[in-house]
């Protein structure tokens, strides 16, 4: 089973971009512990170092659905801004969503057309003498790459497949992200009050549960009310 997952700050501020980077680290640790294969196929860096606006992952495992139950939705980080220490806000939300349309990014090497050419520029005695450079074109999309890193045509061919796959996947991810951007804000507004995960503090503590004394307060109120009735 394969799924395309996006961790995104949406249109959130710099603090949310920081949370995306932190959540990504925890997410990948848990994926590894659950023997889930993953590949980062696209990332959009944030406005400061060590921050991310979004990252898209391709996950592969037979138990993906069970793993993602604890992740898909909104994620809340509770803490003071690491960038604006006087900011009053203490809850920052990001989202983790499954990108629909994974079938559109299927990449088959049979769809690649290869052309050989002489390498250009400096590079050794084979340059301009032997056809070692390779141009690979993905016929369905028209995307192409030109590789002349090695003196070996076979090695250049292997590299061209890897780079062409990355290029085709990235273009498809960008298209999917544009579609997701329109639904992101509505989704986040609905889920904001009900995060699937909550973290706290600059050390990003896991499984943080907000302490609530609501039950205790209600119990005390009832006891006080009964006490007053007894006095009357």
């Amino acid at each position: 089973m394969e799924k395309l997952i996006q961790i995104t700050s949406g249109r959130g501020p710099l603090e949310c971009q920081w949370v995306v980077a932190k959540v990504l680290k925890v997410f990948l640790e848990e994926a590894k512990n659950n023997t889930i294969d993953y590949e980062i196929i696209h990332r959009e860096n944030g406005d400061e170092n060590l921050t991310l606006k979004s990252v898209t992952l391709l996950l592969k495992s037979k138990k993906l659905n069970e793993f993602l139950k604890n992740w898909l939705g909104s994620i809340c980080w509770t803490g003071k801004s690491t960038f604006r220490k006087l900011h009053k806000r203490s809850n920052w939300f990001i989202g983790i969503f499954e990108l629909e349309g994974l079938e559109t990014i299927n990449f088959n090497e049979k769809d690649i057309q290869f052309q050989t050419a002489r390498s250009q520029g400096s590079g050794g005695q084979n340059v301009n003498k032997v056809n070692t450079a390779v141009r690979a074109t993905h016929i369905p999309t028209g995307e192409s790459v030109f590789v002349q890193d090695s003196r070996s045509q076979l090695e250049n061919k292997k590299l061209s497949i890897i780079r062409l796959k990355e290029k085709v996947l990235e273009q498809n991810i960008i298209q999917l992200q544009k579609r997701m951007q329109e639904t992101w804000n509505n989704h986040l507004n609905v889920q904001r009050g009900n995060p699937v995960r909550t973290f706290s503090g600059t050390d990003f503590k896991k499984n943080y549960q907000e302490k609530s004394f609501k039950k205790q307060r209600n119990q005390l109120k009832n006891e006080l009310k009964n006490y007053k009735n007894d006095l009357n």
Side-chain angles (χ1 to χ4, degrees):
M1 179 184 293
E2 295 184 353
K3 286 184 180 292
L4 201 61
I5 303 300
Q6 185 184 51
I7 305 175
T8 175
S9 62
R11 296 180 181 176
L14 186 56
E15 289 82 0
C16 294
Q17 298 174 21
W18 179 83
V19 175
V20 168
K22 287 290 188 178
V23 166
L24 174 63
K25 183 178 179 181
V26 177
F27 185 92
L28 294 183
E29 286 177 354
E30 290 195 13
K32 184 177 180 181
N33 292 336
N34 285 273
T35 63
I36 293 175
D37 294 329
Y38 63 85
E39 179 182 356
I40 298 177
I41 55 180
H42 185 268
R43 69 169 68 203
E44 185 178 359
N45 292 328
D47 297 320
E48 294 285 349
N49 290 335
L50 304 179
T51 66
L52 289 169
K53 290 183 178 179
S54 69
V55 60
T56 305
L57 307 162
L58 181 63
L59 304 180
K60 300 179 182 180
S61 175
K62 294 181 179 180
K63 49 184 180 180
L64 271 183
N65 289 333
E66 189 67 26
F67 172 74
L68 291 173
K69 280 182 181 179
N70 299 318
W71 280 107
L72 294 181
S74 66
I75 307 294
C76 176
W77 175 70
T78 300
K80 294 298 181 182
S81 171
T82 57
F83 303 98
R84 297 176 288 175
K85 294 183 179 180
L86 298 180
H87 200 284
K88 295 181 179 180
R89 180 175 169 183
S90 59
N91 292 326
W92 310 89
F93 292 86
I94 67 166
I96 300 183
F97 304 111
E98 178 182 353
L99 292 178
E100 301 289 342
L102 179 59
E103 67 277 0
T104 62
I105 66 168
N106 287 338
F107 183 88
N108 194 324
E109 294 183 16
K110 294 181 180 180
D111 294 327
I112 302 177
Q113 182 182 69
F114 296 99
Q115 292 177 308
T116 58
R118 294 181 180 180
S119 295
Q120 303 170 358
S122 59
Q125 61 183 5
N126 287 338
V127 174
N128 297 324
K129 295 181 181 180
V130 182
N131 291 345
T132 56
V134 175
R135 179 177 295 279
T137 303
H138 186 245
I139 298 175
T141 61
E143 297 289 346
S144 65
V145 295
F146 183 78
V147 179
Q148 57 178 1
D149 298 45
S150 172
R151 296 180 183 179
S152 166
Q153 183 184 113
L154 181 60
E155 288 300 317
N156 285 332
K157 184 176 181 180
K158 291 179 180 178
L159 285 173
S160 71
I161 294 174
I162 295 173
R163 293 177 186 175
L164 186 58
K165 181 179 180 180
E166 291 176 350
K167 191 172 183 180
V168 171
L169 289 180
E170 184 173 8
Q171 290 302 314
N172 278 275
I173 294 304
I174 291 173
Q175 293 178 10
L176 288 172
Q177 285 180 325
K178 288 180 179 179
R179 284 164 44 192
M180 280 298 297
Q181 191 64 47
E182 297 177 359
T183 60
W184 154 255
N185 288 319
N186 290 335
H187 197 141
L188 182 57
N189 288 334
V190 172
Q191 297 294 325
R192 179 169 291 177
N194 186 29
V196 295
R197 287 282 185 100
T198 303
F199 299 90
S200 69
T202 55
D203 54 353
F204 227 71
K205 292 181 180 178
K206 300 179 184 179
N207 301 323
Y208 171 81
Q209 293 183 347
E210 184 178 1
K211 293 182 179 180
S212 174
F213 299 97
K214 184 176 181 180
K215 290 183 178 179
Q216 291 89 330
R217 287 197 301 269
N218 289 335
Q219 184 177 353
L220 288 173
K221 286 181 179 179
N222 290 331
E223 290 177 358
L224 181 60
K225 183 178 180 180
N226 292 332
Y227 178 73
K228 289 181 177 179
N229 290 335
D230 291 340
L231 290 177
N232 295 329

